[in-house]
Amino acid sequence: MAAPAAPSTLYPTPRCNSSRNIVPFPANPFKRSATLLDLPFQQALRLAATVPQAVSGTDQQTNVLSTNEEGDRIRRLQNGSDVRGVALEGEKGRTVDLTPQAVEAIAESFGEWVMESLTRESGQKKAKVRVSFGRDPRLSGPALSTAVLAGLSSAGCVVFDMGLATTPACFMSTVLPQFAYDASIMMTASHLPYTRNGLKFFTGRGGLNASEVEEICDRAARKYTARRMGLGYSGSVPSLTRNNVDFMSAYAEHLRTIIKERINHPHHYDTPLEGFKVVVNAGNGSGGFFTWNVLDKLGADTFGSLHLEPNGMFPNHIPNPEDRTAMSLTRAAVLEQQADLGIVFDTDVDRSGVVDSTGAAINGDRLIALMAAIVLREHPGTTVVTDARTSVSLTEFIAARGGHHCLYRVGYRNVIDKGIQLNRDGVETHLMMETTGHGALKENHFLDDGAYMVVKIIIEMVRMKLMGSSEGIGSLIKELKDPLESVELRMNILTQPKHAKQKGAEVVETLKQYIEEGRLQGWHLDACGDCWVSDGCLVDSNDTPVDIDARMYRARVSDEVHGQHGWIQIRQSVHNPNIAINMQSSMAGGCQAITTTLRDKFLLASGLEEFVDINQVDTYARSGSLG
C-alpha cells in the first residue's frame, strides 16, 4: 500500500490536517508558477535601480577596499566549502548578515569564476554559460533566489531555475546528459534553524573546495564594498530571465533506473520493491520526492511516512539524521507499520540515516559500518575514508572485512576530497563518509547524496531477501561494538567574530604543542600511515597536501593501569565560533578522566581559558555529565 498520492503533482496532499504545519506552496513545487517570486523580483529591480552596482571590471580598482569591514562581513559568510549566514530575524544575539545584496554579490562572483574557469580549460570564452539553481523550502528562499538570479545574470550566465530541489540533484544537473549545465548553486543551510540560509556551489567535477569558495567570497567582498562606496556603478539594471526547469523528475527517474537495473528482479523488474514496507521521514525538507517519485513507483508500501510536505519552519523536528527526535519518530513509525526500513533525510538530502526492521537506529558509526559492509562485498580490500571522530571499533569492523580505514579531518568536503586524492594516488577508495551522515561513493561521482546512499541500502535489502535471508539490513552490522563512553563538548570563543578563527587555531595548535612536548602524560598524536596522514590525522605528508580549512588534532590516550583506553579530538568548528571536543573511552569514567586532564593540565595551565568558555568542560570534569 503506497502513501497517498498527490493528484497531478509531484507533491502529495499534506498528511497533517493542522494548518500550522503547512506554509503556502504552489501545486507543484518542482514546476512552480513564475508568480511565486514576482513580488520580490520586482522589488529587487526597483532597489537595484537606486543602489550602485559593481560590474565584473571593478575588482582591480577596488582592491584598496578589500579590508573594509563591509567586505569582511561577506568573507565571514564562508563556512568551509559553503556559504552560510542568518537570513531572517529571530535568533537571539544574531543579526541578519546573509542579505539579498550579499547573496547577489556572491552569485555574481561565482558566475564570473565559472566563466573564467571554462575559458582557462578550453582556451576560449564560452558563448553561453548555463547555470542551474535550486533551493530548500526555507522562508527566506524566494527573496534570496531573486538575488541569485540577479547575480548570475549580471555575470552573463543563463540561469535555469529548478525550484524546490536537493543538493545532490543540483550537482547531478551538471552530469545527466540531457541537462549537463556548466555549474549549479543550491540554496540551503542544511539542518540549521529556519532563520539561516546558505549557498553550495558545484561544477561538473564536483563541489567547490574551501579555497575556491574563499576566492569567490573575497571577490564578492570587493564587489559589495565597491557598491556600498558607489564605485563601478553602470547605472543600468541587468536583464533578468528565469528559465524554469523540472529537473527533479529526471533525477528521480535516474534513481529508479539504478534500483531496477541492479536488482534485476526475476519476477517484476519494473516494481522490484513490491512486498516491502518503507517509511520515509523527510523532516519537512526537500526529501519528500523520494517517497512518491521513487519508492511508490517501484512498488513499495510507504504508508505511515512522516513530514513529507515542505515547510520552511520545520515545525516537527530538526531535519537531521543525527537528531534524536527525528530518529525516535521514525523508529516508532517503523514499528507501528511493521516496516522493513525507515529512512531519515536532512533538509537538502545530502545526508541520511536509516532504521532497521527491529527499530534500531542506524546513523553515525553504525551507518558507516553498514555502507562499508556493502561496499567491501562489492570491492574487496578497498579503503574507507572517514572523519576522525569514528570509533576504534569501526576501524576493527572494517579491518575484519578486509578493508582499510583512513581517519581524516572533520568536514564532509575534507573527507570526500581525501578519497578523491587517494584514488588519484593509486589507493583504491570507494567509500568516504562522515559520522554526520554525509557519504560519497566513487561510483557516484564522489557525490555526498543521502538518497543514493539509501538506494544502495535498499538494493542490498532486496538482494538479501532474494538470496533467501530472513534477516534485515541491521544484521550486517551486528558485530560492530559500540564504545562504552562517547562525549562531545563545546567551548565558545570569547572574541569578536572576525578574530574567532585565529583564536580557535591558537587553541588547537597549542594543544598539539603540549602533546608533542610530553606535558600531557599518556597522550600521543594519532596517525594513519596507510594514506600518508600523520600528526593527529591533520597533516598530509604526500606530494599533494589538501588545503586546511580548520585546525584539528586527534590523540590516543592511555594510562599505566588500563593501557590505551580512548582518544580525544579537538577541532575548530567550520560553522560557528567555537571549538568542539570529541572523546571516546573503553573504560568507565574514562571520558571524565580525559576531560579533567584537558582542563587542569592544558586549558588552565596554558591560560587559554581567558578567551574560551570552559564551563561545559568544567561541568563534565566535575560531575561526569552535562546535566
Side-chain angles (χ1 to χ4, degrees), residues 392-393 482-487 521-523 557-567 583-597 620 624:
V392 174
S393 296
D482 292 327
L484 183 63
E485 294 185 347
S486 182
V487 176
Q521 187 174 359
W523 289 31
V557 179
S558 58
D559 61 33
E560 295 179 354
V561 177
H562 303 92
Q564 183 178 331
H565 65 81
W567 57 262
M583 293 170 282
Q584 288 187 1
S585 179
S586 59
M587 75 175 195
C591 287
Q592 185 178 7
I594 294 171
T595 305
T596 302
T597 299
Y620 192 80

Side-chain angles (χ1 to χ4, degrees), residues 325-337:
T325 301
M327 296 305 289
S328 176
L329 291 173
T330 308
R331 178 181 184 274
V334 166
L335 294 176
E336 180 181 354
Q337 300 299 327

Side-chain angles (χ1 to χ4, degrees), residues 207-252:
L208 270 60
N209 60 37
S211 61
E212 292 167 332
V213 175
E214 182 179 10
E215 177 186 342
I216 290 166
C217 286
D218 186 64
R219 180 187 298 222
R222 295 196 298 271
K223 287 183 181 297
Y224 184 81
T225 302
R227 290 171 181 174
R228 300 282 289 187
M229 299 294 291
L231 299 177
Y233 176 43
S234 67
S236 61
V237 178
S239 175
L240 307 185
T241 302
R242 179 185 298 110
N243 301 290
N244 292 337
V245 59
D246 178 18
F247 179 78
M248 289 304 297
S249 292
Y251 173 64

Side-chain angles (χ1 to χ4, degrees), residues 3 65 80 87 132 176 185 194 197 208 213 244 254 272 350 353 364 392 442 451 491 495 542 552 585 595:
L65 302 172
S132 64
L176 292 187
I185 294 178
Y194 76 93
N197 217 326
L208 270 60
V213 175
N244 292 337
H254 167 71
D350 59 358
V392 174
K442 180 180 179 181
M491 299 188 299
T495 64
N542 65 338
M552 61 191 78
S585 179
T595 305

Side-chain angles (χ1 to χ4, degrees), residues 264-569:
N264 193 21
H265 201 286
H267 305 302
H268 33 88
Y269 177 87
D270 289 324
T271 54
L273 302 188
E274 279 187 22
F276 288 91
K277 292 185 177 182
V278 183
V279 170
V280 176
N281 183 348
N284 302 112
S286 297
F289 84 97
F290 194 81
T291 307
W292 49 79
N293 216 11
V294 178
L295 297 177
D296 286 354
K297 291 186 177 182
L298 293 175
D301 177 352
T302 59
F303 185 80
S305 289
L306 306 170
H307 318 318
L308 302 182
E309 66 280 2
N311 185 332
M313 290 294 291
F314 311 121
N316 292 292
H317 58 73
I318 298 171
N320 185 355
E322 294 183 285
D323 181 66
R324 291 184 178 181
T325 301
M327 296 305 289
S328 176
L329 291 173
T330 308
R331 178 181 184 274
V334 166
L335 294 176
E336 180 181 354
Q337 300 299 327
Q338 296 182 321
D340 299 287
L341 185 69
I343 300 167
V344 181
F345 288 126
D346 78 335
T347 313
D348 57 324
V349 198
D350 59 358
R351 296 186 297 142
S352 57
V354 297
V355 175
D356 72 9
S357 58
T358 70
I362 302 179
N363 53 9
D365 279 10
R366 292 170 60 82
L367 182 61
I368 298 174
L370 176 59
M371 290 305 304
I374 294 171
V375 170
L376 282 165
R377 182 181 61 79
E378 298 171 342
H379 305 283
T382 191
T383 292
V384 176
V385 182
T386 73
D387 64 277
R389 291 173 295 187
T390 56
S391 67
V392 174
S393 296
L394 178 63
T395 301
E396 294 170 346
F397 181 90
I398 292 170
R401 283 149 187 79
H404 302 278
H405 186 193
C406 170
L407 295 167
Y408 199 56
R409 302 174 198 155
V410 173
Y412 72 92
R413 194 67 251 169
N414 292 329
V415 172
I416 294 171
D417 286 347
K418 188 61 188 174
I420 293 172
Q421 182 192 60
L422 288 174
N423 279 285
R424 188 181 300 128
D425 290 344
V427 179
E428 186 181 74
T429 306
H430 284 273
L431 176 64
M432 299 120 267
M433 285 200 74
E434 226 195 0
T435 49
T436 57
H438 281 285
L441 290 154
K442 180 180 179 181
E443 69 187 49
N444 190 43
H445 311 282
F446 296 99
L447 172 66
D448 50 322
D449 186 344
Y452 192 87
M453 285 288 164
V454 169
V455 163
K456 292 285 288 185
I457 293 169
I458 287 172
I459 291 170
E460 183 67 15
M461 176 181 71
V462 179
R463 187 194 70 83
M464 290 172 65
K465 188 168 184 179
L466 288 175
M467 293 292 291
S469 174
S470 59
E471 296 184 302
I473 49 95
S475 64
L476 297 178
I477 58 171
K478 60 186 177 184
E479 296 176 8
L480 178 69
K481 299 176 182 177
D482 292 327
L484 183 63
E485 294 185 347
S486 182
V487 176
E488 179 174 282
L489 306 174
R490 295 271 176 169
M491 299 188 299
N492 290 325
I493 300 172
L494 306 175
T495 64
Q496 294 181 33
K498 63 182 178 181
H499 300 309
K501 189 171 184 178
Q502 174 189 346
K503 288 298 185 180
E506 181 180 337
V507 173
V508 177
E509 290 299 325
T510 303
L511 176 64
K512 178 192 177 187
Q513 179 183 342
Y514 267 57
I515 295 172
E516 290 179 331
E517 293 175 355
R519 299 193 198 185
L520 303 175
Q521 187 174 359
W523 289 31
H524 302 279
L525 289 177
D526 212 342
C528 178
D530 286 346
C531 56
W532 309 297
V533 183
S534 61
D535 294 339
C537 309
L538 176 65
V539 178
D540 285 308
S541 58
N542 65 338
D543 294 333
T544 54
V546 176
D547 292 335
I548 297 171
D549 58 357
R551 313 300 297 187
M552 61 191 78
Y553 292 103
R554 169 166 156 158
R556 304 184 308 276
V557 179
S558 58
D559 61 33
E560 295 179 354
V561 177
H562 303 92
Q564 183 178 331
H565 65 81
W567 57 262
I568 179 171
Q569 187 201 52

